[in-house]
Amino acid sequence: GWRPPARARPRARLRLVLPAAYTPLWRHCPSHAGASFPPRRGRLGGVLVSDPAAIALSPTRIDILVKGADDALWQQTTLDGGATWQPQWTTHGGVLHSGPEVASSGPSNLDVLVQGADSALWENTWNGTNWQPVWSSVGGRLIGDPMAVSAAPNTLDVFVKGLDGALWQRSYFGGTWVGHDWHSLGGHLSSSPDAASCGSGHLDVMVVGTDGSPWHLGYNGTRWSYWQPLGGILTTATGSVRRPGTQAINVMGRAPDNALLAGTTPCVPE
């Protein structure tokens, strides 16, 4: 069931990037394993108009992507685990109508996905050396932020809320997008989707339905499950993460009283 999260001692350093409309980016970082919040915080600058997206390609490299006040994509990077950051933010252009989503389909790749001015999904990719010179359209029509997850090397699955309020999916494999169109997975969404992977080829998608409750849809590498209600009422999109070494997903969201609620659901079975 859903419950307030228990206080826990972190085992490793954790970095949080915090959004604020038309304000610089800040971070919180425990100074050592076992520290409690907030030991210190740092100002990373920039001018954000969306939630930030962050990804770690290595134990020392962290990339943060945001939508800037000019509606373009901006990037900030650390190569030493957050001790120092680039002196200036870097822009990669585009016209974003959502916050960015970032995933990695390869060991050195950054795959950035956004909603464009035409409501379609647009992509830009860093191959470890260079960014694409121009953005590429992946088509579709979406509402809100996209969600992407890599469940196996050289793969990417993108989930969005469509104009019909249903969940839609598009898959990327081996350097190209699969098929010529999007695939509807049904449902009645009131939020953007969130996703995690419990193993190679496995996908678990979380959404908030029009009833205000979180719902779970899973793919076991062969077929999709039925939609399953998780109970409770949430007022924001969910955040979800698979706990390493388990077949369970922790799901979090904001309750009507603005408290953080957390629950656990098993990964979709084989």
Side-chain angles (χ1 to χ4, degrees):
W2 292 87
R3 62 194 185 280
R7 185 181 297 272
R9 293 174 65 86
R11 296 183 179 179
R13 303 185 69 172
L14 176 65
R15 303 185 184 277
L16 301 183
V17 289
L18 308 175
Y22 293 92
T23 58
L25 184 71
W26 292 78
R27 67 182 174 93
H28 276 284
C29 177
S31 58
H32 60 276
S36 59
F37 288 101
R40 61 188 177 94
R41 65 179 182 176
R43 179 185 172 100
L44 301 184
V47 182
L48 288 68
V49 294
S50 76
D51 293 339
I55 190 170
L57 290 182
S58 74
T60 57
R61 177 177 181 131
I62 302 169
D63 289 272
I64 300 173
L65 289 306
V66 304
K67 175 185 176 181
D70 59 355
D71 292 334
L73 179 72
W74 290 78
Q75 177 189 17
Q76 180 60 269
T77 303
T78 176
L79 300 177
D80 54 15
T84 60
W85 294 80
Q86 291 178 337
Q88 300 290 332
W89 287 74
T90 302
T91 184
H92 301 296
V95 181
L96 282 62
H97 277 220
S98 73
E101 168 65 354
V102 60
S104 179
S105 59
S108 300
N109 285 24
L110 292 176
D111 301 279
V112 179
L113 300 142
V114 304
Q115 179 189 15
D118 57 358
S119 296
L121 185 75
W122 288 76
E123 172 199 28
N124 204 331
T125 300
W126 184 68
N127 62 10
T129 304
N130 298 305
W131 286 87
Q132 290 180 182
V134 296
W135 287 76
S136 302
S137 176
V138 188
R141 293 293 184 270
L142 59 144
I143 300 173
D145 297 349
M147 176 65 200
V149 62
S150 179
N154 299 313
T155 69
L156 201 65
D157 285 274
V158 183
F159 300 95
V160 303
K161 176 185 177 182
L163 298 183
D164 59 355
L167 178 69
W168 288 77
Q169 176 197 21
R170 191 83 193 268
S171 298
Y172 175 92
F173 178 75
T176 187
W177 291 96
V178 178
H180 299 288
D181 210 345
W182 289 74
H183 173 60
S184 176
L185 297 172
H188 302 279
L189 283 61
S190 67
S191 74
S192 296
D194 193 33
S197 176
C198 282
S200 181
H202 286 225
L203 299 166
D204 289 88
V205 184
M206 314 293 168
V207 306
V208 176
T210 52
D211 59 355
S213 294
W215 290 74
H216 174 207
L217 184 69
Y219 180 75
N220 65 4
T222 304
R223 62 185 182 276
W224 285 95
S225 68
Y226 295 105
W227 285 97
Q228 299 175 337
L230 301 180
I233 297 295
L234 299 178
T235 59
T236 62
T238 62
S240 58
V241 62
R242 179 212 174 187
R243 286 180 287 164
T246 73
Q247 289 297 303
I249 297 175
N250 282 63
V251 185
M252 293 144 280
R254 188 176 70 190
D257 63 356
N258 291 326
L260 177 68
L261 292 184
T264 302
T265 186
C267 301
V268 65
E270 295 286 350

